[in-house]
Amino acid sequence: MIPTVLPTYNRAPLAFVRGEGSWLVTGDGSRYLDLGAGIAVNALGHANPDLVAALGEQAGRLWHVSNLYQIPEQQRLADLLVAHSFADTVFFTNSGTEAAELAIKMARKYWSAKSQPERIVILTFEGAFHGRSTGAIAAAGSEKMVKGYGPLMPGFSQLSWGDIEAARAAIGPDTAAVMIEPIQGEGGIRVLPDADLRALRGLCDASGALLILDEVQCGMGRTGRLFAHEWAGITPDIMMVAKGIGGGFPLGAVLATEAAAQAMTAGSHGSTYGGNPLACAVGAKVTEIIADPAFLAEVNRKAGLFRQRLEGLVAAHPDLFEGLRGQGLMLGLKCREGTAPADLVAAGYAEHLLSVPAADNTLRILPPLTITDDEIAEAARRLDRAATALSARRG
Ligand SMILES: *Cc1c(COP(=O)(O)O)cnc(C)c1O
């Protein structure tokens, strides 16, 4: 008999009833150190007092009104994001997938409004993840995600990951946009070198194509800058954000330049919940905290500490690990052939440690950005015990 919850996930036999900072607590009081943070969502940890206060205060005042009216909380968050980014304008969604949908629509509308409706192809990259809608799975194109869901939405062309020469060859008079994650999350914490992101920006500039960056996972302070593309010194035309921006409250956004967004006029797009007062009150608090240069400096300092520990772990377990990847607190342990990240995740559970598998045989480490030095040391000890146990079991 089919479970009452549609079984599209392989769930661990763990149920948490409470969270505190970097820790999750089960019903029987067992505490787990959380290096997954709801997949880069709980950027400020669990039950963060500032966020609890922002949500509680808004909850007692006003939950929802509809985008038929002015929403001061939404205006405030949009102003904050514009002040701290390349963007001139923001549309709020409830998820990363919906942000991807709008980014795709915006790119098409841009060329339609320029009377070049033949420019419909969006170049994407193998290993990409942009969400689970029909548009987002067509964009990523991976066999696993699209199987059985055809016919797929046309207008996407996938290139090898980070293949700039392929992009140079593919970009042409039918190209609407290039869409890429500066660091692939689901794809295995694969970092696009800064020089390659700059090269893509250059190719887009030369052809007029829009550069769409998916920072749903790598944005909002995760890499030690508010947005990952800042490291490369370039700006996109359109950017998707979600996950960390709500700190656990469902919220996403599309940020865009005025030029890229100019065709999006009244009635061209919409969302019932998108940008509602509850979500935006929380999002504004999250953004205010993370955009503070002192906060980002701490993320970078702790990332250095964590990286050092994980390099030690890799060196201590050469049978399991090939190396360390990532930037800031978006880290990946690349496993050797024959070592399944899922087995490491399971060994982590036994040590009361939560981590997340990814593609390309990589284990993801995405702790709350507020993780403490002591917790980083504790995480390294637990990872070491999990790795030792896994090695021993394999003999
Ligand atoms: C998670 C993710 C998405 C999809 O976001 P949802 O909120 O799950 O819809 C899109 N792009 C990237 C890079 C992601 O990591």
Side-chain angles (χ1 to χ4, degrees):
M1 208 165 65
I2 193 166
T4 53
V5 174
L6 191 72
T8 61
Y9 278 92
N10 273 320
R11 295 168 194 270
L14 287 168
F16 301 106
V17 297
R18 201 156 49 81
E20 293 162 16
S22 304
W23 299 85
L24 280 170
V25 186
T26 59
D28 67 5
S30 301
R31 293 164 62 81
Y32 287 72
L33 184 50
D34 186 7
L35 303 186
I39 314 192
V41 165
N42 302 98
L44 300 179
H46 299 281
N48 181 293
D50 289 328
L51 301 191
V52 171
L55 182 63
E57 203 267 322
Q58 187 62 45
R61 204 142 47 85
L62 184 64
W63 289 23
H64 181 80
V65 293
S66 155
N67 285 305
L68 293 171
Y69 310 104
Q70 308 287 322
I71 301 178
E73 296 80 12
Q74 184 182 130
Q75 183 64 51
R76 191 169 120 62
L77 178 52
D79 290 348
L80 259 175
L81 290 169
V82 165
H84 287 287
S85 75
F86 71 96
D88 301 310
T89 189
V90 184
F91 183 93
F92 292 104
T93 66
N94 311 292
S95 69
T97 301
E98 290 164 274
E101 287 296 315
L102 173 56
I104 292 162
K105 285 175 72 177
M106 194 181 281
R108 288 190 168 184
K109 194 82 161 179
Y110 174 86
W111 288 110
S112 161
K114 284 193 182 306
S115 301
Q116 288 180 259
E118 71 284 0
R119 289 192 78 148
I120 49 156
V121 176
I122 299 180
L123 301 177
T124 59
F125 293 86
E126 166 263 321
F129 185 79
H130 301 299
R132 297 293 199 143
S133 63
T134 50
I137 61 172
S142 91
E143 176 67 17
K144 193 176 117 196
M145 278 191 288
V146 305
K147 199 170 174 221
Y149 296 122
L152 294 179
M153 180 178 161
F156 298 98
S157 182
Q158 282 94 21
L159 309 174
S160 300
W161 166 245
D163 189 339
I164 303 304
E165 283 324 302
R168 194 187 310 280
I171 209 162
D174 66 346
T175 310
V178 173
M179 182 154 100
I180 191 166
E181 297 152 82
I183 302 178
Q184 282 190 343
E186 307 302 311
I189 312 294
R190 296 199 288 185
V191 182
L192 188 72
D194 289 345
D196 290 352
L197 193 50
R198 284 193 287 270
L200 283 180
R201 176 73 271 179
L203 291 175
C204 287
D205 288 341
S207 79
L210 299 170
L211 180 62
I212 303 173
L213 294 183
D214 183 344
E215 294 223 16
V216 168
Q217 195 160 148
C218 64
M220 295 308 295
R222 182 56 51 189
T223 67
R225 303 289 287 264
L226 184 54
F227 299 112
H229 66 262
E230 294 173 23
W231 290 108
I234 57 103
T235 58
D237 302 292
I238 299 172
M239 176 171 73
M240 295 107 86
V241 174
K243 293 200 164 90
I245 192 173
F249 200 96
L251 176 64
V254 174
L255 283 67
T257 62
E258 182 169 11
Q262 61 195 350
M264 303 303 297
T265 52
S268 62
H269 194 63
S271 169
T272 294
Y273 282 126
N276 97 345
L278 274 181
C280 289
V282 178
K285 181 51 80 178
V286 170
T287 304
E288 214 177 84
I289 292 172
I290 294 182
D292 181 348
F295 181 90
L296 291 169
E298 267 298 280
V299 172
N300 283 304
R301 186 189 63 78
K302 286 185 287 197
L305 202 63
F306 214 153
R307 182 174 276 279
Q308 202 178 354
R309 293 280 188 166
L310 293 176
E311 294 283 10
L313 182 80
V314 169
H317 299 276
D319 54 323
L320 299 180
F321 302 115
E322 210 172 286
L324 179 66
R325 303 168 159 182
Q327 183 149 33
L329 289 173
M330 185 170 186
L331 295 164
L333 287 162
K334 167 78 172 165
C335 299
R336 283 216 189 279
E337 218 183 291
T339 302
D343 290 344
L344 273 160
V345 171
Y349 292 151
E351 301 299 332
H352 287 200
L353 177 106
L354 307 178
S355 58
V356 188
D360 202 27
N361 221 36
T362 299
L363 182 75
R364 265 183 290 183
I365 311 282
L366 307 161
L369 305 180
T370 49
I371 191 170
T372 66
D373 292 10
D374 285 349
E375 287 164 349
I376 289 171
E378 182 60 27
R381 282 192 290 273
R382 292 183 188 209
L383 278 167
D384 182 64
R385 289 203 297 267
T388 301
L390 186 62
S391 289
R393 204 173 321 142
R394 298 198 311 189

